[in-house]
Amino acid sequence: MKSAYPELIDSFGRKMTYLRLSVTDRCNLRCFYCMPQADFNWMPHENILRFEEIIRLVRVLARQGVRKIRLTGGEPLVRKDVIRLMEGISLLEGVEELCLTTNGVELPALAENIFALGVRHINISLDTLKRDRFHGITGRDLFENVWAGINRCMELGFSPVKINFVMMKGKNDDEIPDFARLSAEYPIEVRFIEFMPVGKGSNWGEGYFLSSDEAKEIIEEKNGKLEPKRRKKNSGPAELYTLKGGKGGIGFISPLSHSFCSECNRLRITADGRLRLCLFSDREVLLRDMLRGQITDQELAGFLLEAVARKPARYLVQEQNLPSCRRQMSSIGG
Ligand code: SAM
Ligand code: SF4
């Protein structure tokens, strides 16, 4: 598609093609590693971007080269009428892929509508297969809903169905082999994610941290050899493997132990309309007031390019090993 709008290329030559769009900071779970348990305020309702503001922003970004949009949250499926929003985004010229990251609680009710929109890529977060432990980690007794949601997605034919598993020593590391086995038995890609120090009150602690390399060792000892899979172009930061004869795959996402900043093609927009150029940096650019003002699309595109030019080369969390940003994950969206 030829566009008069400037492409979003930063000062290190990285082209921005992927947007993670948080559509709400609300959530129907309370994962202890994501949301602070106290001192927590929801974003005021009037600050949340309205559907027409989101659609306009995504339309401009798509004209500037963004091709893949992932809806996230909080929990995206608790936003009222989210299916209507997804439909609007899916119809925008230039949007090639619409994806979703969800905790899965609402999938038994909504998976069919989402599939009908043409969405095929879905990431479902699940950190345990044990009902009591699920309650302990998420604060809600809803394991059965999530499991039913995963099964519904497989039945409908979402592909790939991915499970996001945040690795936490002493909390769920004993289940790493069970999740690896899921990838062998089902057409599921299980993604083992390093626990990240994001957000004040995230409960991150070094004691919980388990690296992808440690997880690989556990899997190779218990489940057998991990066979590397060739990475597709723009397949993101996951390192991919399969177990012999496995129907699905295994991915490792290692933001702490292996940096992937040099290939970063991501932008993030929070539910209250702030552009974040790096997950770990609290430097944000407020777009909401602009969208509610007199700015033209062309001017907005110019402003977005200027903002993108200031994307940091890399983050320093590896060196500092400390909670790196104040905003909690539940209001960034991962
Ligand atoms: N509510 C949806 C969900 O849980 O999938 C979408 C938002 S959630 C913030 C997005 C992803 O971030 C989830 O897979 C979640 O497990 C992950 N996440 C949250 N806090 C994290 C942390 N501190 N370190 C690593 N991953 C985290
Ligand atoms: Fe909610 Fe997702 Fe955060 Fe859990 S990880 S509290 S489901 S936003």
Side-chain angles (χ1 to χ4, degrees):
M1 185 184 51
K2 201 129 179 72
S3 165
Y5 289 56
E7 271 200 316
L8 293 173
I9 299 179
D10 76 2
S11 45
F12 304 96
R14 295 171 298 188
K15 198 163 147 183
M16 300 302 120
T17 56
Y18 176 23
L19 171 67
R20 297 184 66 99
L21 181 66
S22 169
V23 296
T24 178
D25 63 330
R26 272 46 169 193
C27 189
N28 41 10
L29 298 183
R30 294 287 178 276
C31 303
F32 85 98
Y33 55 78
C34 176
M35 277 196 186
Q37 314 296 300
D39 287 341
F40 184 66
N41 294 314
W42 301 116
M43 291 171 183
H45 200 68
E46 63 278 12
N47 286 0
I48 306 281
L49 289 189
R50 300 188 277 262
F51 282 5
E52 60 276 18
E53 292 164 345
I54 296 176
I55 295 282
R56 178 179 176 206
L57 189 51
V58 177
R59 188 190 314 116
V60 171
L61 286 164
R63 293 188 71 172
Q64 296 188 271
V66 171
R67 295 285 168 262
K68 171 172 165 181
I69 317 286
R70 176 175 299 281
L71 253 63
T72 175
E75 171 48 39
L77 299 186
V78 302
R79 173 107 190 223
K80 192 163 174 265
D81 275 343
V82 70
I83 302 293
R84 186 161 63 79
L85 175 66
M86 292 178 82
E87 183 175 16
I89 294 175
S90 71
L91 295 174
L92 291 173
E93 199 178 336
V95 172
E96 290 172 0
E97 219 180 295
L98 177 59
C99 322
L100 179 70
T101 296
T102 169
N103 62 30
V105 169
E106 292 298 328
L107 281 176
L110 294 178
E112 207 161 330
N113 295 343
I114 296 167
F115 191 81
L117 293 176
V119 175
R120 295 293 176 270
H121 295 179
I122 193 158
N123 291 17
I124 305 165
S125 304
L126 183 65
D127 304 313
T128 177
L129 296 169
K130 300 174 198 262
R131 183 176 164 184
D132 289 352
R133 191 179 276 183
F134 182 95
H135 196 166
I137 292 175
T138 68
R140 300 287 185 271
D141 185 15
L142 290 168
F143 170 77
E144 305 296 343
N145 295 47
V146 181
W147 189 244
I150 291 171
N151 281 290
R152 187 75 190 113
C153 286
M154 285 192 286
E155 268 166 34
L156 284 164
F158 281 91
S159 178
V161 173
K162 295 184 184 174
I163 291 184
N164 286 357
F165 176 96
V166 179
M167 304 183 284
M168 294 169 286
K169 212 175 251 175
K171 284 274 182 192
N172 64 0
D173 53 334
D174 57 331
E175 292 189 68
I176 289 174
D178 297 336
F179 275 77
R181 203 169 306 121
L182 279 186
S183 83
E185 286 171 15
Y186 299 95
I188 289 178
E189 184 180 308
V190 177
R191 294 146 46 101
F192 293 99
I193 303 177
E194 288 179 353
F195 188 2
M196 295 179 249
V198 169
K200 73 178 166 82
S202 77
N203 292 309
W204 189 86
E206 239 171 283
Y208 286 132
F209 183 73
L210 188 96
S211 70
S212 292
D213 289 344
E214 289 173 274
K216 278 180 212 162
E217 266 180 41
I218 295 172
I219 294 172
E220 294 218 298
E221 192 190 318
K222 302 278 185 200
N223 303 82
K225 194 162 165 39
L226 284 165
E227 300 179 350
K229 249 175 129 168
R230 188 152 344 123
R231 284 180 84 221
K232 289 193 205 127
K233 199 167 165 265
N234 294 333
S235 63
E239 245 187 287
L240 300 176
Y241 296 85
T242 47
L243 287 171
K244 199 169 171 32
K247 292 188 180 153
I250 292 180
F252 294 95
I253 302 192
S254 323
L256 296 208
S257 63
H258 300 85
S259 162
F260 32 74
C261 302
S262 64
E263 291 172 39
C264 185
N265 61 349
R266 295 169 179 216
L267 297 175
R268 292 178 167 80
I269 292 177
T270 62
D272 57 349
R274 292 166 196 271
L275 176 70
R276 281 179 81 94
L277 298 158
C278 172
L279 170 61
F280 293 105
S281 164
D282 275 325
R283 258 178 50 192
E284 295 176 341
V285 182
L286 182 62
L287 302 172
R288 185 187 63 238
D289 293 351
M290 232 172 268
L291 290 165
R292 292 181 182 174
Q294 300 298 318
I295 196 168
T296 64
D297 283 2
Q298 186 82 51
E299 285 163 348
L300 179 60
F303 184 83
L304 288 165
L305 177 61
E306 265 176 45
V308 162
R310 294 195 296 272
K311 185 173 163 83
R314 58 201 291 269
Y315 59 82
L316 297 172
V317 68
Q318 292 117 321
E319 287 88 1
Q320 292 167 341
N321 228 0
L322 286 169
S324 53
C325 69
R326 293 178 61 75
R327 199 193 258 274
Q328 61 269 8
M329 196 68 124
S330 57
S331 73
I332 303 173

